Amino acid sequence: IESDNILAFVYNENGKTGLMDTSYNVILPAQFDYIENWQLDNLIRIDSGGKVIDDDDAVGYRFKKYGLINIQGKILFRPQFDEMTVSDGSALIRVDSLFGFVDNKGNWLIKPTYKLAYPFYKGTAIVKDSGQFALINKQGQKIITQTFDGIWGFKNNISVVEKDNKKGLINYHGTYILPLDNYEGIGEYNWYFGEFKKNVKWFVIDTTGHIPIKEGFEEVDVR
């Protein structure tokens, strides 16, 4: 399994895959059709019933259902989910048309509830509830009461948010870095700096909301 420290190997036996540790001891008997050769936050996605893709257009694997094991070979969830993204010590899952979250111990964090959701980022997830986007924690509680018409997604701790045709910047704690306003332009964070345009001038803003150069610029390109 690819990681900073190799802890296990995927092995094949009678057409099925399992895990061995670095001493070649079986820690998960071969029983699944596919074990992803990659771990994130000690979690590995698995499947039964999918198919290997190997043609001129793509190489990879098409999941039928997603399951989850850990690097120690413990089965957390057998293949049952229609979609899965691992992030922040948890996994966003979809069952039919609804999204929910599971933790890295095989427990439900939030059962499938939302028609749209994004993976957790440092303990905060973006979900769409009753037509509005909200920020929630891993207990399913809103971290701020305000909801939004749109959220771009967190990058370098910050996201652009939209409400009533106004935009602003918010961090994953739910604190405004830049209040909602009618900015002439706004950009997501690269190298921990974002950008916004106000009164025909572009300004650079850091992740604390500090604007280091107050005069502004005719043009800014933060990369």
Side-chain angles (χ1 to χ4, degrees), residues 121-122 124 135 143-144 154 157 170-176:
Y121 178 92
K122 297 185 177 181
T124 298
L135 303 178
I143 65 171
I144 55 172
F154 291 105
N157 300 336
I170 199 168
N171 68 18
Y172 64 94
H173 296 297
T175 302
Y176 276 103

Side-chain angles (χ1 to χ4, degrees), residues 17-192:
T17 59
L19 287 185
M20 287 184 176
D21 65 17
T22 52
S23 298
Y24 299 99
N25 299 307
V26 172
I27 56 175
L28 177 65
Q31 57 192 285
F32 299 107
D33 291 338
Y34 181 73
I35 296 177
E36 201 164 41
N37 192 31
W38 175 258
Q39 68 85 29
L40 182 63
D41 295 336
N42 199 34
L43 300 173
I44 305 164
R45 301 188 303 176
I46 59 173
D47 182 36
S48 290
K51 60 182 292 187
V52 174
I53 304 168
D54 188 3
D55 55 35
D56 294 336
D57 297 322
V59 175
Y61 184 85
R62 181 176 294 116
F63 282 80
K64 180 180 180 182
K65 295 287 184 180
Y66 291 82
L68 201 61
I69 61 175
N70 64 21
I71 198 74
Q72 289 77 34
K74 181 181 178 181
I75 300 170
L76 304 178
F77 293 93
R78 291 189 174 275
Q80 59 187 284
F81 305 121
D82 298 305
E83 188 175 333
M84 174 183 284
T85 304
V86 175
S87 175
D88 192 26
S90 62
L92 169 70
I93 59 90
R94 178 175 61 84
V95 178
D96 296 327
S97 63
L98 296 178
F99 290 88
F101 298 89
V102 296
D103 70 11
N104 60 358
K105 294 181 174 60
N107 304 308
W108 284 97
L109 287 171
I110 303 167
K111 290 194 173 182
T113 303
Y114 303 106
K115 291 191 174 180
L116 185 61
Y118 297 92
F120 272 100
Y121 178 92
K122 297 185 177 181
T124 298
I126 299 166
V127 298
K128 193 171 187 180
D129 186 25
S130 302
Q132 286 282 295
F133 289 93
L135 303 178
I136 64 169
N137 60 23
K138 289 185 178 181
Q139 289 72 50
Q141 303 162 330
K142 290 181 180 178
I143 65 171
I144 55 172
T145 56
Q146 182 164 15
T147 58
F148 302 95
D149 301 324
I151 302 182
W152 291 19
F154 291 105
K155 184 176 182 181
N156 294 325
N157 300 336
I158 309 296
S159 176
V160 178
V161 292
E162 303 175 51
K163 182 73 172 180
D164 298 329
N165 296 317
K166 295 181 179 181
K167 291 185 173 69
L169 298 170
I170 199 168
N171 68 18
Y172 64 94
H173 296 297
T175 302
Y176 276 103
I177 300 303
L178 186 69
L180 290 166
D181 206 340
N182 293 309
Y183 301 106
E184 294 142 40
I186 198 163
E188 64 183 6
Y189 276 62
N190 292 303
W191 297 106
Y192 296 95

Side-chain angles (χ1 to χ4, degrees), residues 200-217:
V200 200
K201 291 285 188 179
W202 281 97
F203 298 87
V204 173
I205 181 171
D206 68 15
T207 57
T208 69
H210 177 61
I211 301 169
I213 301 175
K214 307 297 184 185
E215 293 80 7
F217 304 93

